[in-house]
Amino acid sequence: MTEQIQSVASIDDFEANRAKTKKALPALLIVFTLGTLMIQAFNLVFQNIGDSLGMSSSASLISTLPGIVLGVVCMLYGTLCDFISPKRMTLFGVVALVAGSFLGFFGSFNFWVVLIARMIQVAGAQVAGSVFLVMTVKYLNDKEKAIYIGIYNAVYYLAAAIGVFAGGFITSFDWKYLFLVPALSVFFIPLLIKNTPDISAKGEKIDSIGILLFAVFAALIAIYFSFPGVGMIIASIVFAVLFVLWIWKGKNPFLGRSFVTNGAYMSILLLQFVLYFFNFACVPIYNVIGEQIYNVPLTTVSLCLTLVYIVATIVGCVSGPVINRLGRMRTLVIAIVLMIVGFAGSAIFIKSGFGVLTFLACLFIAGVTAVYTPIYDAASDALPVEENGRGVGILDLMMNTSALSESPYTPVSWPVTPWARVVCSVLTVVWKRRLQHVLDYVCGFGVVDDCTVRISQEFYGKTQCLIAPAGAEHVDQTDCRTSSIYHSEREYHACYG
């Protein structure tokens, strides 16, 4: 009799939390969207900010350092959601987001204040994203869970589409007013206080040492992708060893042995790594092909890229219902086929026209988007409910760390990335001859060794330093120092001797 009463009470609690969660999720999604939009917006204007504050050479930090913060806090917040109530986490995030907004607006006269404000903004906005995902996997039923995970993923691509499409508009007005956009989150505080569940783990102590070790390790990995160096690799290995020792020897590590030896979850984590390995390098390569091979105007490339992101948004919205109808495995198979067709097809048909490449890019991004929902859905089922926050946080960490390998970008210039070297190498093996025209111009990716420099092609009055094949008949003598692109070490020496 007692067990039946407890069971009924547990069901009632679940239904109460489920009802409150469904009311809170739209507000959380709006706050997260505002923060994500600002990531896109500041990626477009960071050079303008550096120029206006006399810090042109350091301008990329406005995009890079917040990206590193994002890579760390996504894991941290997901983990803390297993110990601290979603309501407290959400209020902390919104307060940080609004505080960063006002700090950036009123401190817009100083570069370092702007940089700190952006880091606070990013840290605050990610709380809404992490709490959204954790509440979704903990407090909703299976069908609702898949739908909301898909919507969350769709919002990210929608923000990217708006960022690309509105690029010209964003760069046309005073950038300091961008800081005020996330401040609109303050109007959602009453709704979040009312509807966000106030549930925290009882009897569990937060493993501060373990979380700190793992956070430092994650930060070093994230920093390495932006500022590669042997020292970062050594430090990462040291903290990885310390963290493993803590898991095996610590009294109550936040990632216990049962977690790290969970075969189902670790298999999902490995699958995510494999499927998202090339994701963040494909957009820069697509941009390079459009601008340098087909000489497509920048505005046209941006419109095509917007179309690609709109496709991703639509797929994200329908991925939940598709999973509920077809199941995870069939959805994963379809998604992987789309990724393979889009990726390999881009190599095979690279000379068939930019429209064909755009269509193949849509197939690839559709596959990438469709993969997201079944992975997170399956990961949540592979872990106990009380560990879902940690599971979501580590999945987010892997994705955001991969994203950091794609450096800050603008519509005018796309940088060299570590993943781009890998992608170009793979594409070369797949269809070497057809890629030669691409590789002639992107040898900065490390695929073609013998290069000389051609300075050419102005975009919006800014000269870019491009790479041409060795033995090119003509090399313009334009000064590379006016270039808006961020050079690799090899390009730098080629330009400046």
Side-chain angles (χ1 to χ4, degrees):
M1 185 69 178
T2 304
E3 292 180 358
Q4 288 180 341
I5 294 174
Q6 290 177 342
S7 177
V8 170
S10 178
I11 293 173
D12 289 342
D13 288 342
F14 177 81
E15 289 300 324
N17 290 327
R18 173 173 167 263
K20 294 183 73 174
T21 295
K22 291 178 71 173
K23 292 178 181 179
L25 288 181
L28 283 170
L29 198 61
I30 292 172
V31 174
F32 173 72
T33 302
L34 291 174
T36 305
L37 275 172
M38 289 306 96
I39 292 176
Q40 302 296 330
F42 279 95
N43 278 346
L44 293 171
V45 301
F46 70 85
Q47 191 61 53
N48 294 358
I49 296 173
D51 294 342
S52 64
L53 297 178
M55 296 289 290
S56 299
S57 60
S58 302
S60 62
L61 293 177
I62 294 174
S63 191
T64 303
L65 292 187
I68 292 172
V69 170
L70 177 63
V72 176
V73 299
C74 62
M75 177 281 302
L76 184 62
Y77 293 153
T79 298
L80 291 178
C81 282
D82 283 339
F83 302 95
I84 302 174
S85 76
K87 179 178 287 187
R88 294 183 183 182
M89 291 287 296
T90 301
L91 291 178
F92 166 78
V94 174
V95 169
L97 180 60
V98 174
S101 298
F102 287 119
L103 177 64
F105 180 76
F106 291 109
S108 59
F109 57 87
N110 184 281
F111 177 83
W112 300 110
V113 173
V114 169
L115 178 59
I116 293 172
R118 277 298 299 143
M119 294 168 71
I120 295 173
Q121 267 194 334
V122 167
Q126 182 55 34
V127 174
S130 296
V131 171
F132 181 99
L133 277 177
V134 173
M135 285 174 55
T136 295
V137 299
K138 280 190 173 185
Y139 304 131
L140 298 184
N141 62 39
D142 289 341
K143 288 187 176 181
E144 292 170 339
K145 180 170 61 175
I147 291 171
Y148 278 94
I149 290 174
I151 291 173
Y152 175 85
N153 192 27
V155 164
Y156 170 82
Y157 286 108
L158 178 63
I162 294 173
V164 173
F165 185 75
F169 172 72
I170 290 173
T171 57
S172 66
F173 64 88
D174 194 341
W175 53 265
K176 73 177 183 179
Y177 291 103
L178 288 174
F179 275 105
L180 295 180
V181 175
L184 297 172
S185 302
V186 73
F187 295 110
F188 297 96
I189 290 179
L191 186 61
L192 292 170
I193 291 176
K194 180 181 178 182
N195 294 317
T196 307
D198 191 10
I199 305 171
S200 56
K202 295 179 181 180
E204 277 197 79
K205 292 183 179 180
I206 298 177
D207 176 22
S208 302
I209 296 176
I211 291 175
L212 179 62
L213 287 173
F214 193 72
V216 173
F217 168 70
L220 290 170
I221 294 294
I223 292 170
Y224 171 76
F225 279 122
S226 296
F227 307 100
V230 176
M232 289 296 172
I233 296 177
I234 295 173
S236 299
I237 294 173
V238 169
F239 275 91
V241 171
L242 290 174
F243 180 67
V244 171
L245 290 175
W246 179 258
I247 290 176
W248 254 255
K249 301 296 183 181
K251 291 184 178 180
N252 188 30
F254 81 100
L255 295 183
R257 295 188 185 184
S258 60
F259 185 98
V260 297
T261 57
N262 186 320
Y265 178 77
M266 290 302 163
S267 298
I268 294 167
L269 198 63
L270 178 61
L271 179 65
Q272 185 200 39
F273 175 78
V274 172
L275 295 178
Y276 279 90
F277 191 76
F278 301 119
N279 181 31
F280 295 100
C282 289
V283 171
I285 291 176
Y286 172 81
N287 190 79
V288 168
I289 292 172
E291 290 183 18
Q292 312 303 342
I293 305 305
Y294 286 99
N295 295 318
V296 177
L298 184 62
T299 52
T300 304
V301 174
S302 296
L303 286 173
C304 292
L305 197 54
T306 302
L307 174 63
V308 172
Y309 284 138
I310 289 174
V311 169
T313 303
I314 295 171
V315 172
C317 289
V318 302
S319 60
V322 169
I323 287 176
N324 290 334
R325 186 174 182 84
L326 299 180
R328 294 176 192 148
M329 184 57 69
R330 289 181 181 177
T331 305
L332 273 173
V333 170
I334 293 171
I336 292 170
V337 169
L338 287 172
M339 291 176 67
I340 293 173
V341 171
F343 187 74
S346 296
I348 296 171
F349 299 106
I350 196 168
K351 295 179 68 177
S352 300
F354 194 64
V356 173
L357 292 178
T358 301
F359 172 74
L360 292 169
C362 289
L363 292 182
F364 179 81
I365 202 72
V368 170
T369 309
V371 156
Y372 183 93
T373 303
I375 283 180
Y376 275 74
D377 190 31
S380 66
D381 286 347
L383 294 169
V385 174
E386 60 271 16
E387 292 183 349
N388 272 339
R390 279 159 274 194
V392 167
I394 291 175
L395 285 171
D396 280 349
L397 173 65
M398 181 168 287
M399 284 194 62
N400 283 300
T401 302
S402 298
L404 284 170
S405 67
E406 179 183 339
S407 303
Y409 58 85
T410 70
V412 176
S413 62
W414 295 79
V416 175
T417 70
W419 294 143
R421 297 186 182 97
V422 178
V423 173
C424 281
S425 299
V426 173
L427 289 175
T428 305
V429 173
V430 174
W431 203 259
K432 187 172 182 180
R433 286 188 179 181
R434 290 179 179 269
L435 278 173
Q436 191 59 50
H437 293 289
V438 178
L439 302 180
D440 287 343
Y441 284 91
V442 296
C443 58
F445 290 165
V447 180
V448 180
D449 292 322
D450 298 321
C451 300
T452 58
V453 177
R454 175 185 299 159
I455 313 303
S456 65
Q457 203 166 352
E458 291 190 358
F459 295 113
Y460 298 108
K462 294 183 179 181
T463 306
Q464 289 199 11
C465 181
L466 304 177
I467 304 297
E473 295 180 0
H474 178 66
V475 179
D476 297 333
Q477 299 300 316
T478 309
D479 187 0
C480 284
R481 274 162 278 230
T482 61
S483 172
S484 64
I485 200 167
Y486 292 91
H487 306 293
S488 64
E489 181 180 358
R490 175 213 215 117
E491 290 175 293
Y492 180 92
H493 291 302
C495 284
Y496 301 118

